[in-house]
């Protein structure tokens, strides 16, 4: 099939530089006619949705009014809703094709003719790529062909670039190599002299960071090492009986030039409690000290291969023009759908597993195996196979916050930020999950010079108390003090507003909690037998009312909260609304009388003071600063209190509140 005049004259450089849509076909009917002879129009037609989105007037495209909606195309920087796109340098990896029903209106009103693409009718993004050393590849087309399965040239290039040109990554590696770590007890030797892949005890003098580690989803019928099979596996692993993912990880370790591989199922004796305890407690070092972690983000069962599967796609080559409109090469228009880092990794198989949290956070470099392409993640960059990585560097501010936080700490040895939402980390507090979280806590404690008590940092206890439970009804509690999030079985959110990860605040935040002490606690694997928390702060008797609808404080909406508050805070005498609250236990809201009133105590832990003189607030002058509080009620034992919720209350309500000593259990 040939190319029509529209397809043969697509000028990628001009599209990018003008950021203006270009007419590709005058109508849908013209596109369908051209598709019979033009291979590119045929590809475009096949990529359009077969059924338009609900509510879009598809029939008008094929009727007499169809001429009013030409098919247009535009590069990413000409799309109205594209973000983080800079005009220089040119980075073209896809084109947007869409039908523009406002074309005639824009033509009649030249003042509106320069608008960016804002598709109303159904549209499609189509991939664009070129070879590395082609004219198109050297002049702005950053899309790249995806290599064949089991081709390790791209990971090798990524590793070479990272090792040679990433001081941030090298700094993380140096911080590791300078520590006294515990090497894995066992590794898989993938290139022994006799050719038999086996478990080995690595030599003590073996250079650190010379092994790979696999992060994968466990299945019930996978091969594991037991006390009975250990001697056999030290002679030869049953390679033919291993899952395809394990086999592939062995092969990729060889191809990347490494000798040793660590897989938890094989390198830990699974039916030995002592070995499991020893190795799991050391797992933070195992993933931190590996050279690269292999992440099986798309492996669901034993039969699934670790390698991405190349998608079926239609492709066609089109001429590439330089700025003088000279055809100097070719680029490829492709119907391939490769997925993205978000869909393949952040929403992948491993993302919801609690025990994989420390693996991704601590590993210095990660090679992700997505559904259709490979991804690279290190301390400096994120790359994916379908894009020329040297043209698409990503700075740490777009990396995962937890990985960025670890990098920041290793580089600066600074104080740890005190807020991060922890959610969706697994299906219950399994033994592996507990060790994983404890491993992270150990490293953070080492870096910041602090210790963990019931899941909270001792030096940051007031901030750590500001949390809410996300819709757990009925509330399930574990053994532990009510002031700690570890006593709750459910998803939680922390509400410290003054950090990089928090929301902006007005004025200056001041801690109003003093003399914080912990009583009668004994450490045992970072859990404590008892937990009496004593402190001194302003205490206010408040009236909690549970109405049918909660209104935010005037001038201070609560759209920053993950879960909307479920109660109003009122003054005891006047009954006027002074704040909003979220009770820990939603069951207390299930009452027949929606106007139920509770008398509780609000303990102010932080308050916002007005801006200093010369720095006026952006809000109106009548804005009342907000205080961040926990709600308390009397415990069974005399003189003790229990936590029962979180509240944000106008600071003026505490004007006559007394500062009192409180002990919470």
């Amino acid at each position: 099939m040939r190319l029509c005049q529209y397809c043969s004259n697509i000028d990628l450089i001009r599209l990018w530089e003008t950021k203006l849509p270009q007419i590709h076909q005058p109508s849908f009917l013209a596109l369908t006619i051209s598709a019979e002879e033009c291979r590119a129009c045929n590809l475009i037609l096949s990529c359009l949705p077969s059924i338009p989105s609900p509510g879009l007037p598809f029939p008008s495209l094929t009727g007499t009014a169809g001429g009013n909606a030409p098919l247009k195309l535009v590069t990413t920087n000409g799309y109205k809703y594209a973000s983080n796109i800079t005009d220089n340098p040119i980075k073209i990896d896809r084109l947007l094709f869409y039908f523009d029903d406002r074309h005639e209106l824009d033509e009649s009103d030249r003042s509106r003719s320069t608008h960016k693409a804002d598709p109303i009718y159904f549209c499609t993004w189509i991939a664009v790529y070129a070879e590395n050393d082609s004219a198109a590849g050297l002049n702005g087309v950053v899309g790249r062909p995806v290599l064949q399965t089991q081709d390790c040239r791209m990971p090798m290039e990524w590793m070479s670039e990272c090792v040679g040109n990433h001081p941030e990554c090298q700094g993380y590696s140096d911080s590791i190599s300078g520590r006294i770590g515990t090497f894995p007890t066992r590794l898989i030797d993938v290139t022994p002299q006799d050719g038999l892949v086996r478990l080995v005890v690595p030599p003590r003098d073996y250079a650190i960071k010379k092994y790979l580690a696999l992060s994968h989803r466990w299945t019930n019928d996978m091969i594991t090492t037991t006390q009975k099979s250990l001697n056999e596996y030290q002679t030869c692993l049953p390679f033919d009986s291993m899952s395809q993912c394990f086999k592939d990880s062995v092969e990729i370790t060889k191809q990347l030039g490494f000798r040793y591989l660590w897989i938890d199922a094989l390198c830990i004796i699974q039916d030995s409690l002592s070995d499991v305890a020893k190795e799991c407690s050391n797992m933070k070092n195992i993933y931190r000290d590996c050279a690269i972690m292999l992440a099986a983000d798309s492996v669901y069962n034993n039969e699934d291969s670790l390698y991405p599967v190349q998608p079926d796609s239609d492709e066609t080559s089109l001429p590439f023009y330089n700025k003088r409109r000279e055809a100097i090469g070719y680029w490829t228009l492709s119907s391939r759908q490769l997925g993205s880092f978000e869909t393949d990794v952040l929403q992948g198989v491993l993302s919801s597993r609690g025990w994989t949290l420390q693996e991704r956070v601590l590993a210095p470099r990660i090679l992700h195996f997505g559904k259709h392409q490979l991804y690279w993640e290190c301390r400096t960059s994120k790359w994916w196979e379908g894009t020329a990585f040297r043209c698409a560097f990503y700075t740490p501010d777009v990396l995962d916050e937890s990985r960025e936080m670890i990098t920041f700490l290793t580089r600066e040895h600074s104080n740890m930020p005190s807020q991060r939402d922890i959610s969706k980390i697994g299906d219950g507090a399994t033994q592996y999950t507990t060790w994983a979280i404890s491993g992270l806590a150990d490293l953070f404690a080492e870096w910041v010079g602090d210790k963990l008590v019931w899941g909270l940092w001792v030096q940051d206890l007031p901030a750590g108390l500001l949390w809410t439970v996300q819709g757990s009804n009925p509330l399930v509690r574990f053994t532990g003090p009510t002031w700690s999030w570890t006593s709750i079985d459910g998803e939680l959110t922390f509400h410290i507003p003054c950090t990089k990860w928090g929301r902006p605040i007005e004025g200056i935040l001041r801690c109003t909690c003093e003399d914080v002490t912990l009583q009668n606690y004994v450490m045992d694997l970072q859990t404590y037998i008892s937990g009496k928390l004593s402190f001194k702060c302003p205490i206010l008797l408040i009236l909690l009312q549970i109405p049918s609808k909660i209104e935010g404080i005037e001038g201070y909406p609560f759209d920053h909260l993950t879960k909307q508050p479920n109660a109003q805070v009122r003054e005891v005498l006047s009954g006027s609304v002074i704040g909003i609250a979220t009770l820990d236990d939603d069951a207390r809201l299930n009452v027949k009388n929606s106007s139920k009133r509770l008398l509780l105590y609000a303990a102010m832990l932080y308050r916002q003071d007005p801006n200093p003189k010369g720095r006026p607030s952006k809000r109106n002058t009548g804005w009342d600063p907000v205080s961040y509080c926990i709600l308390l009620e009397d415990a069974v034992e005399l003189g003790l209190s229990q936590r029962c919720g979180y509240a944000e209350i106008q600071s003026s309500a505490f004007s006559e509140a007394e500062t009192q000593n409180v002990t919470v259990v």
Side-chain angles (χ1 to χ4, degrees), residues 172 176 179-184 211 213 262 268 277-290 293 355 357-364 379 406 432 434-447 526:
Y172 181 77
I176 291 171
R179 301 176 188 274
I180 300 175
T182 304
F183 209 63
Y211 65 93
W262 188 87
I268 301 175
K278 175 187 174 185
E279 297 302 311
C280 285
S281 63
N282 185 44
M283 208 173 289
K284 62 182 182 297
N285 295 317
I286 292 173
Y287 283 101
R288 186 184 63 173
D289 294 345
C290 71
M293 186 182 83
W355 59 85
L357 175 64
Q358 72 167 345
E359 298 171 9
R360 181 163 176 250
V361 169
L362 295 177
R379 298 288 152 184
I406 292 286
Y432 279 113
T434 303
W435 265 308
I437 301 300
S438 297
L440 279 176
D442 281 342
L443 290 176
F444 272 76
E446 177 185 350
W447 283 322
Q526 296 181 351

Side-chain angles (χ1 to χ4, degrees), residues 226-238:
T226 63
Q227 297 178 74
K228 182 179 180 180
S229 63
L230 177 61
N231 289 335
E232 175 189 348
Y233 290 179
Q234 288 177 329
T235 301
C236 178
L237 281 168

Side-chain angles (χ1 to χ4, degrees), residues 183-193 196-214 249-263 267 286 289-294:
F183 209 63
T185 301
R186 303 171 198 87
L187 289 170
I188 300 170
D189 188 346
V190 302
T191 57
Q193 293 182 352
L196 299 177
V197 177
R198 61 166 68 91
L199 285 178
V200 297
V201 177
R204 294 294 91 187
D205 59 348
Y206 191 70
I208 201 166
K209 295 184 67 60
K210 292 296 184 181
Y211 65 93
L212 305 189
L214 176 68
S249 64
V250 168
E251 293 302 317
I252 193 121
T253 301
K254 294 179 183 178
Q255 293 179 41
L256 291 177
F258 291 86
R259 179 172 180 176
Y260 296 114
L261 171 67
W262 188 87
I263 301 177
C267 295
I286 292 173
D289 294 345
C290 71
I292 304 173
M293 186 182 83
L294 310 177

Side-chain angles (χ1 to χ4, degrees), residues 40 68 74 106 128 142 264 348 373 409 447 474 515 561 570 578 626:
N68 295 331
V74 70
D106 290 340
V128 171
V142 298
D264 52 4
Q373 66 175 329
L409 289 172
W447 283 322
D515 301 337
L561 298 178
R570 294 177 177 266
I578 57 174
V626 173

Side-chain angles (χ1 to χ4, degrees), residues 391-425:
C391 301
F393 284 97
Y394 288 84
T395 53
D397 60 355
V398 299
L399 298 180
D400 179 81
E401 290 173 350
S402 57
R403 288 176 60 77
E404 180 186 351
M405 196 186 304
I406 292 286
T407 303
F408 176 78
L409 289 172
T410 58
R411 184 178 69 246
E412 302 291 346
H413 300 286
S414 181
N415 291 328
M416 191 191 77
S418 58
Q419 190 270 346
R420 175 176 170 81
D421 291 348
I422 300 177
S423 62
K424 300 178 181 177
I425 59 171

Side-chain angles (χ1 to χ4, degrees), residues 453-519:
V453 177
W454 287 104
L456 300 175
W457 299 104
V458 171
Q459 298 177 18
D460 199 29
L461 274 175
L465 300 176
L466 300 178
W467 50 265
T468 55
V469 186
Q470 302 304 306
S472 180
N473 189 6
L475 181 69
V476 178
R477 284 194 178 274
F478 296 127
T479 301
T482 60
W483 48 265
S484 168
W485 63 269
T486 60
S487 66
I488 304 296
D489 182 12
E491 183 179 337
L492 304 106
T493 297
F494 287 84
H495 299 289
I496 293 85
C498 61
T499 68
K500 171 183 175 180
W501 284 270
R503 64 187 187 279
I505 64 168
E506 293 290 340
I508 298 176
L509 196 71
R510 182 168 64 89
C511 181
T512 55
C513 186
E514 302 173 343
D515 301 337
V516 180
T517 59
L518 285 160
Q519 306 171 20

